[in-house]
Amino acid sequence: KQEVTQIPAALSVPEGENLVLNCSFTDSAIYNLQWFRQDPGKGLTSLLLIQSSQREQTSGRLNASLDKSSGRSTLYIAASQPGDSATYLCAVVSGTYKYIFGTGTRLKVLA
Amino acid sequence: DVKVTQSSRYLVKRTGEKVFLECVQDMDHENMFWYRQDPGLGLRLIYFSYDVKMKEKGDIPEGYSVSREKKERFSLILESASTNQTSMYLCASSRGGNQPQHFGDGTRLSIL
């Protein structure tokens, strides 16, 4: 059974720092992996999707990498800003329509 | 931009009531999903639909049903609401199995 883990559960960093969020999964047979952002009381906003054949995806200050063999993905945020404060979730797609979510990392960027 | 609209942001209902949560997407997506999100448990899939009138059970379908009469609309029905169904409900849609999911803003449902 696929399990997705995100460590740490919470993180506080000063503004301007580069940071890495981690996502681990137990079954490497995935279709793709998606990173989301969730603001308090809101839905999820899609950030990046990495297909299983890809190694990384970039969007602005965000870079997501995927290493299927080791069951890991990282989300790199460059030059963090207070507006980046949110909960970040990863989800792996294992089997058709089957999204398995991690419980997220709650990020706080201090001004 | 894809827009997924959930009919209510907040809803308060009583135990035993039949509750309808509505979700509409404007991008002609084939797939639609209903999740619930609870602290410490993350998002759990209730039901999904891959076409009009087609539905599949997710991980926690008990106590729920769904309806998809039109491609753009996916409804979640709580047949007889109970207090353990108090939660945040999130609707999502996607174009296909290998395409990103897009979420609505969620409905925070309280069952008293």
Side-chain angles (χ1 to χ4, degrees):
Chain A
K1 181 188 170 189
Q2 178 75 269
E3 291 182 4
V4 180
T5 304
Q6 292 185 249
I7 294 173
L11 184 63
S12 284
V13 299
E15 182 177 6
E17 241 186 52
N18 302 323
L19 57 101
V20 174
L21 306 181
N22 297 298
C23 174
S24 302
F25 48 94
T26 54
D27 184 351
S28 61
I30 66 171
Y31 285 5
N32 61 50
L33 185 144
Q34 192 169 0
W35 281 95
F36 296 89
R37 167 191 174 130
Q38 186 175 30
D39 294 291
K42 294 286 190 80
L44 280 65
T45 300
S46 177
L47 297 174
L48 290 164
L49 180 140
I50 312 177
Q51 307 285 356
S52 61
S53 58
Q54 296 175 320
R55 298 282 297 187
E56 65 179 292
Q57 280 285 335
T58 298
S59 176
R61 294 184 294 110
L62 305 179
N63 176 275
S65 68
L66 175 63
D67 184 345
K68 272 179 44 177
S69 61
S70 66
R72 289 183 185 177
S73 176
T74 60
L75 179 67
Y76 174 83
I77 303 177
S80 58
Q81 303 169 357
D84 295 328
S85 298
T87 296
Y88 291 81
L89 297 106
C90 68
V92 299
V93 184
S94 295
T96 312
Y97 317 117
K98 188 76 172 174
Y99 284 68
I100 309 295
F101 286 81
T103 50
T105 295
R106 192 169 60 253
L107 172 66
K108 190 165 187 178
V109 181
L110 305 168
Chain B
D1 265 2
V2 176
K3 188 149 181 68
V4 179
T5 303
Q6 294 185 231
S7 53
S8 305
R9 289 296 311 279
Y10 302 94
L11 208 52
V12 179
K13 296 291 183 180
R14 297 214 172 270
T15 305
E17 278 192 68
K18 191 168 186 176
V19 180
F20 293 84
L21 302 183
E22 306 286 345
C23 176
V24 177
Q25 50 94 4
D26 67 356
M27 286 301 291
D28 202 37
H29 284 172
E30 286 78 17
N31 302 330
M32 296 188 75
F33 306 80
W34 275 106
Y35 296 90
R36 64 177 283 177
Q37 185 178 29
D38 300 288
L41 296 177
L43 274 83
R44 293 178 291 167
L45 181 65
I46 305 171
Y47 268 97
F48 67 92
S49 168
Y50 51 90
D51 202 350
V52 175
K53 297 191 186 295
M54 306 302 287
K55 61 187 179 186
E56 291 283 343
K57 292 180 180 178
D59 298 317
I60 50 165
E62 296 79 18
Y64 303 94
S65 63
V66 290
S67 172
R68 194 164 180 204
E69 295 296 318
K70 294 184 177 181
K71 193 174 186 180
E72 67 270 19
R73 186 181 297 270
F74 192 35
S75 303
L76 179 70
I77 304 154
L78 285 66
E79 298 291 343
S80 178
S82 64
T83 55
N84 63 12
Q85 293 178 309
T86 291
S87 186
M88 175 72 140
Y89 289 87
L90 293 163
C91 175
S93 73
S94 72
R95 186 166 299 285
N98 223 19
Q99 298 299 314
Q101 282 197 336
H102 299 272
F103 281 79
D105 277 342
T107 295
R108 187 163 294 282
L109 175 64
S110 295
I111 307 296
L112 305 179

